[in-house]
Structure formats: C-alpha cells, structure tokens
Amino acid sequence: MSAENPVLEITRVFDATPSRIFRLWLDREEWQSWIGPEGIMCEVPLLEPRVGGRYRLTMHLPDGRKLPVAGRYTAIEQDRLFAFTWAMEGEPRETLVTVALRDLGGTTELTLRQEGLPTAANRDGHAQGWSSAFDKLAKHLAATTKGE
C-alpha cells in the first residue's frame, strides 16, 4: 500500500526578484495570467490576499470541463512566504500549499510544498500540474519582466 498523505515538494529558480514573484501569486490579474498547467486557461474571480482571505479559480480544460478550486490564505509574509488551502470546490478534503521565496541576488528560489494529498498517485499528478504551471510562470516572466 502506498504511503498515506505523501508530501509534494518542488523547487525552481526564477529570473526575477522575490517581490516580483510574490506579486505574480498574490495579484489577481497576474495570477490569472499564468496559473494552471499548460493548455489550461484559468479564471480567478476571487482573490483576497490576506490571512483568512479566500480565493477561487476555475480551470477550463481543453475538453470543455471546468474544475473549480477554492481555498483560504493561512499565512502571508511579504516577499518571503505564503500558504493557502487548495481543494476542489465543494469537496471536504483540502491540502495545504506553502510557497517559500529565497532571494538569490537577482533570481529567486521558489519552494512549493503541498501537504495533505491522499495518495502517491495524487501527489504525482499535482507535481505534473505545478511543474507545468511553473513553466508557464517562467514564460510569463520572460515576456513581461521590465528591469525588475
């Protein structure tokens, strides 16, 4: 039997300051421009970036299905760290996503940790989704960076 509640951890380095990366996650229009795996457009109708604040996004899959995701922020430290719950809207199981940012002097190391996943297969699926979203984030940064 696979491990219960496996943890996902992904670390990537982005060519931007921690301040810029922080904004890309916590500004509604910025987040909406890159969140979700490649080939999937996401709408972010709600983003309240404060502890206790909520967010809601809808992933529009290529086959026409919509996946609604919702959660709330549990921690926010300007330009350093934020955490939020992540769940399919209406489902009782939620995970906790923590994003830590480390300044590498012109670039930023981002570490995403997702806890509370039910199975190793679920963890691996989320790993593919987040990795693909980070590819979109890197492309967005390359297209929009203005000397930050």
Side-chain angles (χ1 to χ4, degrees), residues 3-4 24 33 37 54 60 81 88 90 92 108 113-114 127 131 142 145:
E4 288 186 30
L24 284 168
S33 69
R54 302 199 58 80
H60 295 269
L81 177 137
M88 297 302 294
T108 300
R113 181 178 172 88
Q114 189 168 12
S131 292
T145 299

Side-chain angles (χ1 to χ4, degrees), residues 14-16 20 24 135-146:
F14 291 99
D15 191 14
R20 175 84 172 112
L24 284 168
D135 291 344
K136 281 173 61 178
L137 173 55
K139 288 174 189 169
H140 178 75
L141 276 168
T144 62
T145 299
K146 302 174 186 109

Side-chain angles (χ1 to χ4, degrees), residues 87-110:
M88 297 302 294
E89 202 164 41
E91 302 246 339
R93 176 181 286 276
E94 63 181 16
T95 63
L96 178 65
V97 176
T98 303
V99 177
L101 306 174
R102 189 164 67 102
D103 190 346
L104 300 178
T107 62
T108 300
E109 179 185 83
L110 180 152

